[in-house]
Amino acid sequence: MRIAKSALIDPNKNGLYGTAAVALSFFVFAYSSKFGQVSILAYYAMWFPLVVVDYRRVLGNYTRYLWIFAFGILAVLSSFWSDAMSVTMRASIQYLTHIVCALIAMRVISITTLTRGALIGIVLVLLYSLLFGLYLFDALDGTVSFVGAFSSKNQLGFFASLGVIFAVSSVLVLRQRDILWLGVAGVAGLISAYCLLASQSATSVITTVAVVALIIGFMPMGMLSPANRKMIFLALVGVGALLVVASLQFGLLDAVLGIFGKDSTLTGRTYLWQQGIEAAKDAPILGVGYQGFWVVGFFDAERLWDDFFITTRSGFHFHNTYIETVVENGFVGLILLLILLYGTLLGHLRSILVKKNDPQGLVLFALCALFVVRSFVEIDVTYPYQVGTFLLYYAAGKLTLPRRAPARAGLLSQVEMRPVAGP
């Protein structure tokens, strides 16, 4: 049986394949540590073969992506000065190929297909955790939390956060009206909300509420002129800054953290950040090498694992994207990551403030806002085979595509341009 190229690489016609590919990818991102190399190969098998179908259309012109690849390239180069060269080389190549897969997906997957695949994938991920998951005792804060099939409640909470956000985006932003996908969004939203509460992850709950409020708040602004949108947005930013200052001044933040059983040290994170800052002083320009700090046998890593009762000697970090990046890739790496993360955030913000109707921009801006807020207490976008990394590079790549003027309101054709055929 011969399969038409469009069924695989045309964003307007490959809904079935694209949904399946995204769903499988999300499942791999969640549980690749459990299913091993077979799951990683299945992930690559969903994206790399599309290059053979039509390499020009699937890859495009990579000179446009230099700012997107810059951090990944530095990660590979850091192998040459890393004390754990083999660890850094392997991890950085995995990261770079992961970026390529995300950019392939960006070229061939529409925002609607991404959302549908994400909903199905997250439902599968959370159902697996509900069926085979467990509760773990946290020795630091003395609580017992549901971690599902993950090793941390924060990982479970992150997928649950994405489930809520994609469900809200599907119904309110992309305005799905198909009864099947409304049902999928409803199921995904309910399961995600339950897992979000069960995980007791303060980071995930607070950021999810904030991002959903952001989405709802931006929707009415689409009816205003671009000038009025910008003015209102700046006013809201000012009010938000005042609220943050007030919450810090009058102890509101501590009260919110207290609801989740946390204190002002964020369960030892402030001590961990201080240790990361001290470690960064050893190689502040280029760092110790990508993933070259948390290595078995290295004194500082072993000491911190012992301090935080990490017996597995894996899956631990400084719980701050910026500190982790400076330690591993120095201030050069931090600058490149800031260009990627905040450049993508601001690029989609500009799109929704300037364009009359941009559902894709709003969904991707909301996701980037989630990553930015979480970046101060988690690490979601600098590791290979992570859902946050995949979505960030997908969002960044969308900024490089040409866009058509909308023909009719409410249709997907308004918000996306089919990838150009030439390089």
Side-chain angles (χ1 to χ4, degrees):
M1 182 178 68
R2 187 172 181 178
I3 301 175
K5 288 184 179 181
S6 61
L8 297 175
I9 63 174
D10 188 334
N12 297 318
K13 298 180 181 179
N14 66 351
L16 182 61
Y17 178 84
T19 299
V22 172
L24 175 63
S25 297
F26 272 52
F27 193 83
V28 171
F29 299 151
Y31 301 126
S32 60
S33 60
K34 290 185 174 295
F35 295 101
Q37 295 181 350
V38 173
S39 64
I40 299 299
L41 291 175
Y43 165 63
Y44 284 139
M46 298 305 295
W47 303 110
F48 278 127
L50 298 181
V51 176
V52 180
V53 177
D54 189 335
Y55 77 93
R56 289 178 178 269
R57 187 169 183 176
V58 171
L59 294 178
N61 186 351
Y62 268 37
T63 59
R64 293 181 178 179
Y65 307 151
L66 290 179
W67 65 279
I68 298 176
F69 275 110
F71 179 76
I73 292 172
L74 178 65
V76 174
L77 293 176
S78 69
S79 303
F80 295 104
W81 58 81
S82 172
D83 289 334
M85 182 177 182
S86 60
V87 173
T88 298
M89 180 65 76
R90 178 182 179 183
S92 61
I93 291 176
Q94 290 174 335
Y95 188 70
L96 199 61
T97 55
H98 183 50
I99 294 173
V100 174
C101 287
L103 292 177
I104 290 173
M106 172 273 297
R107 300 274 302 179
V108 303
I109 300 297
S110 71
I111 189 64
T112 295
T113 301
L114 174 75
T115 301
R116 291 175 174 179
L119 289 173
I120 293 177
I122 290 169
V123 167
L124 294 176
V125 167
L126 297 182
L127 284 179
Y128 184 88
S129 274
L130 290 173
L131 291 173
F132 304 104
L134 45 82
Y135 288 80
L136 286 183
F137 174 73
D138 191 326
L140 293 176
D141 60 15
T143 61
V144 177
S145 301
F146 180 64
V147 300
F150 296 92
S151 59
S152 165
K153 64 182 180 182
N154 294 321
Q155 292 175 310
L156 174 66
F158 185 36
F159 272 90
S161 295
L162 290 173
V164 172
I165 292 168
F166 274 115
V168 171
S169 298
S170 177
V171 176
L172 298 183
V173 181
L174 300 178
R175 300 182 184 276
Q176 297 284 343
R177 292 297 177 260
D178 186 289
I179 189 65
L180 172 63
W181 291 110
L182 282 174
V184 171
V187 171
L190 290 174
I191 294 176
S192 298
Y194 172 78
C195 289
L196 190 62
L197 296 177
S199 70
Q200 299 182 42
S201 172
T203 299
S204 299
V205 173
I206 294 171
T207 54
T208 302
V209 171
V211 172
V212 169
L214 182 71
I215 292 173
I216 296 174
F218 261 102
M219 289 182 61
M221 293 179 64
M223 297 182 291
L224 304 175
S225 67
N228 288 333
R229 275 184 244 167
K230 294 176 185 177
M231 186 169 57
I232 292 176
F233 175 75
L234 291 175
L236 291 175
V237 169
V239 172
L242 290 175
L243 289 175
V244 170
V245 172
S247 65
L248 294 174
Q249 186 70 27
F250 296 105
L252 179 60
L253 179 61
D254 290 336
V256 173
L257 293 174
I259 297 174
F260 297 93
K262 307 292 184 182
D263 56 26
S264 58
T265 68
L266 297 176
T267 321
R269 279 191 175 97
T270 52
Y271 168 74
L272 191 59
W273 296 342
Q274 184 270 331
Q275 294 297 302
I277 292 171
E278 290 298 317
K281 294 178 181 178
D282 294 335
I285 306 302
L286 293 173
V288 299
Y290 180 70
Q291 293 195 22
F293 181 88
W294 301 102
V295 178
V296 175
F298 282 22
F299 175 77
D300 286 333
E302 293 284 354
R303 174 175 59 83
L304 290 172
W305 280 327
D306 286 337
D307 288 346
F308 286 87
F309 309 102
I310 308 299
T311 58
T312 59
R313 297 309 196 253
S314 63
F316 195 60
H317 47 66
F318 286 111
H319 282 278
N320 182 291
T321 300
Y322 312 106
I323 294 175
E324 186 86 15
T325 301
V326 174
V327 171
E328 295 183 352
N329 295 107
F331 282 100
V332 174
L334 178 62
I335 291 171
L336 296 179
L337 182 65
L338 291 175
I339 291 172
L340 172 68
L341 179 58
Y342 286 88
T344 305
L345 175 77
L346 295 176
H348 288 294
L349 173 61
R350 178 184 179 278
S351 180
I352 59 179
L353 289 178
V354 171
K355 295 183 178 178
K356 183 177 181 180
N357 186 28
D358 188 15
Q360 174 182 277
L362 180 52
V363 175
L364 297 180
F365 171 69
L367 291 174
C368 290
L370 176 70
F371 302 147
V372 166
V373 174
R374 287 177 57 91
S375 66
F376 295 96
V377 291
E378 291 293 340
I379 300 177
D380 299 320
V381 298
T382 60
Y383 288 154
Y385 314 134
Q386 280 197 336
V387 64
T389 305
F390 182 86
L391 291 173
L392 174 63
Y393 282 96
Y394 176 95
K398 283 295 185 184
L399 292 173
T400 68
L401 293 182
R403 313 262 293 215
R404 285 198 187 116
R408 278 185 323 191
L411 295 180
L412 179 62
S413 59
Q414 289 187 300
V415 298
E416 291 196 80
M417 161 83 179
R418 186 182 302 177
V420 294

